[in-house]
Amino acid sequence: MADPITNPATPEAIFGKDAVTAAMADHVAIVGLADFITDAKWDRQELTLTVAPETIVAACEAAKAAGYNFMEDVTAVDWYPTEPRFQITYSLLSHTFKQRLRVVARVSEGQTIASITGVWPAANFYEREVFDLFGVTFTGHPRLTRIMMPDNWNGHPLRKDYPVEGYR
């Protein structure tokens, strides 16, 4: 078995939009989101599709139409100092196909991304959490306010450039 620290990819891993779409041309997610994919990865039996941030709502609607009927999670990663800085990750599940799908969009500091609460209302609190802890703004969100930190809190504590002891 490969060591995930020194060899993070498994031998059967496939990277890149062209390679993944060619190898998995009949996969329901590849077919359903073909118009939105900008990058792709297949590793450890998990499919990750990257889409442009301006197409996230349409991509989520296409995933839902393709059979991914359950939104499990919305989270973020701060890749500071890399640009685009934030990776917004949407974890989707198809009960019909018993498959998970990860849809990723990358946004820069100050860039907004549309809310998917119109597609999956359950995204409401997850998007608020990402807004609160990372400072990513979701346009069209019904109530984008802090959910974990006090309203008067300065900054976003899960950013990599946030001081360890907070702002003083």
Side-chain angles (χ1 to χ4, degrees):
M1 182 171 175
D3 176 14
I5 303 301
T6 58
N7 184 10
T10 57
E12 66 275 359
I14 308 169
F15 296 96
K17 175 186 174 182
D18 294 337
V20 172
T21 55
M24 306 178 76
D26 59 341
H27 192 284
V28 67
I30 300 290
V31 173
L33 280 83
D35 295 338
F36 306 104
I37 301 170
T38 60
D39 196 10
K41 174 175 78 167
W42 171 258
D43 190 20
R44 294 180 176 80
Q45 304 296 309
E46 295 178 358
L47 181 61
T48 302
L49 301 178
T50 302
V51 300
E54 55 274 3
T55 65
I56 192 61
V57 173
C60 286
E61 288 170 344
K64 191 172 189 178
Y68 289 88
N69 59 322
F70 184 71
M71 191 277 312
E72 292 180 311
D73 191 23
V74 178
T75 190
V77 177
D78 183 358
W79 291 107
Y80 178 81
T82 305
E83 278 298 323
R85 179 174 180 170
F86 299 104
Q87 173 183 308
I88 312 302
T89 303
Y90 303 83
S91 299
L92 310 178
L93 172 68
S94 170
H95 289 103
T96 304
F97 302 114
K98 296 176 180 52
Q99 294 177 353
R100 284 189 164 78
L101 171 65
R102 188 177 301 115
V103 177
V104 170
R106 301 283 304 262
V107 295
S108 298
E109 173 111 31
Q111 183 181 1
T112 63
I113 188 166
S115 172
I116 63 161
T117 55
V119 181
W120 284 296
N124 185 327
F125 294 105
Y126 295 110
E127 289 178 351
R128 286 179 63 193
E129 181 179 7
V130 170
F131 167 72
D132 190 6
L133 300 177
F134 290 93
V136 176
T137 302
F138 294 87
T139 56
H141 191 280
R143 185 174 180 238
L144 195 61
T145 58
R146 288 197 180 266
I147 191 169
M148 300 181 82
M149 304 305 291
D151 289 338
N152 62 349
W153 192 266
N154 186 15
H156 306 282
L158 289 186
R159 287 183 173 210
K160 296 240 175 122
D161 57 353
Y162 188 79
V164 175
E165 296 181 8
Y167 293 108
R168 296 189 183 259

